[in-house]
Amino acid sequence: MAFTVQLDTAFLVSSVLVGILYGFSVLMFIGTIWTLTYKRRTRDINRSMVAAATLLFLLSTVDMILVIIEVEDGLVKYPNTFPGGPESFFADLLQEIFIAKNVIYTLQTLLGDGVVIYRCYVVWQSVRVIILPCMLWCGIAAFGICWVYAPRSSSPVSGGNYDQTFIAGEIIWITAFLTFTLATNLFSSGLVAYRIWTIERKVSAVRVTKRKIPLLRVFVDAAILYSYMVITLFITCLLSKILTSINQLIPIISIAFYMVFIRIAISKHTQDGWSSETERGTLQFRIQPLQSGPRHNDVSWPTAQK
């Protein structure tokens, strides 16, 4: 006997998981803003990173609000009045909330992949390197638009359900969308990781101390986390035909990018602290012989402080 799960039960479990992941993303957003702004002057704050993190947080928050409203509508407001009950309610792809969540997921994916592409450009300082990622990004936008507006071009059959032809077409759009975003993320992150690896290998011979948080591992961890969740949820969606499960990626996108923001900021702060300590030590070493001399009012004292 095959094990089956009703759609309303699956959606409720999915919503709980989204709520848990959103809670983690809120904590990591607070940590990101604190790491980027704590004990920093206004001109030293990376405004682009703060803006990207804030937009990711706002999109995740709006999605969480829509999830709560959708659960309330399907299980509290219209469990007996909607034709087919809660299961048909959550299966209705023409619900405005469902379409709005797809729009949010598309925007968040475009924002996240755009940040990865921009990071790749900053590391390489070459436009030619990001030509292919930009083409993939345009493909993400195109397939995202088709995925969002495809349900409006069809109408459900009896009982509020859709025929298999429409479901297959919708899965094709989702497959193309997820394939392009996965390729963009892996390709851009791979270019960034390769660039950092080559630079680290060149300077490893002259570096006195190692970084406590290697930047290479930061990008690899984030790429693996995002890729794993995309592949897992895509397989789940493909096998179960539950198109609403794809929205679990919304808080995961924020978590992956917050992880990169925090660890890069900590690594930079550690490096700056090590550099300042080295400069202070060198300065103290240079002026110490002057302090040990018999003449404390030596005219060369101000010069030694420079």
Side-chain angles (χ1 to χ4, degrees), residues 80-268:
N80 300 321
T81 58
F82 191 85
E87 189 169 357
S88 297
F89 177 85
F90 293 122
D92 188 6
L93 303 181
L94 292 179
Q95 291 285 341
E96 295 181 356
I97 296 180
F98 177 76
I99 296 177
K101 291 197 303 181
N102 291 342
V103 172
I104 292 175
Y105 174 61
T106 302
L107 292 176
Q108 194 168 31
T109 302
L110 291 173
L111 175 62
D113 290 342
V115 171
V116 174
I117 295 173
Y118 174 75
R119 188 186 302 144
C120 182
Y121 169 75
V122 170
V123 172
W124 282 89
Q125 291 295 312
S126 175
V127 178
R128 293 180 298 175
V129 176
I130 63 172
I131 291 178
L132 181 58
C134 287
M135 294 175 62
L136 294 173
W137 188 87
C138 293
I140 295 171
F143 289 120
I145 293 174
C146 294
W147 172 35
V148 169
Y149 285 97
R152 293 184 175 272
S153 62
S154 177
S155 58
V157 296
S158 60
N161 298 319
Y162 294 85
D163 56 10
Q164 294 300 321
T165 303
F166 172 77
I167 296 296
E170 190 73 1
I171 290 180
I172 290 176
W173 293 122
I174 295 177
T175 301
F177 180 85
L178 293 180
T179 301
F180 270 66
T181 183
L182 186 61
T184 303
N185 192 274
L186 290 178
F187 186 76
S188 301
S189 299
L191 287 176
V192 173
Y194 174 75
R195 182 66 171 174
I196 294 176
W197 177 73
T198 55
I199 295 175
E200 291 285 333
R201 187 179 60 176
K202 290 179 181 179
V203 302
S204 60
V206 297
R207 180 180 296 163
V208 180
T209 59
K210 292 185 177 181
R211 296 178 184 268
K212 293 183 178 180
I213 306 178
L215 290 179
L216 179 61
R217 197 178 68 183
V218 174
F219 294 103
V220 172
D221 290 348
I224 290 176
L225 172 63
Y226 182 71
S227 302
Y228 172 77
M229 294 307 302
V230 168
I231 295 173
T232 301
L233 291 181
F234 170 67
I235 293 176
T236 303
C237 176
L238 189 63
L239 295 179
S240 62
K241 302 295 190 299
I242 301 177
L243 303 180
T244 56
S245 62
I246 205 68
N247 290 286
Q248 292 182 10
L249 281 174
I250 293 179
I252 296 177
I253 295 175
S254 302
I255 291 174
F257 282 94
Y258 293 156
M259 180 176 66
V260 174
F261 291 155
I262 291 175
R263 296 177 73 175
I264 287 178
I266 292 177
S267 179
K268 184 177 183 300

Side-chain angles (χ1 to χ4, degrees), residues 8-76:
D8 53 350
T9 303
F11 188 86
L12 182 60
V13 174
S14 175
S15 301
V16 173
L17 293 177
V18 170
I20 295 174
L21 293 173
Y22 174 75
F24 280 111
S25 68
V26 171
L27 294 177
M28 295 192 69
F29 170 73
I30 296 174
T32 299
I33 299 300
W34 182 84
T35 305
L36 294 175
T37 59
Y38 182 67
K39 289 185 178 180
R40 294 180 184 270
R41 291 173 293 185
T42 304
R43 63 181 180 181
D44 296 333
I45 297 176
N46 193 329
R47 293 181 176 86
S48 60
M49 294 179 66
V50 173
T54 304
L55 288 176
L56 289 173
F57 172 72
L58 292 177
L59 290 174
S60 299
T61 302
V62 173
D63 176 75
M64 191 67 233
I65 294 174
L66 293 177
V67 169
I68 295 174
I69 295 176
E70 190 172 14
V71 171
E72 182 183 4
D73 290 344
L75 300 179
V76 179

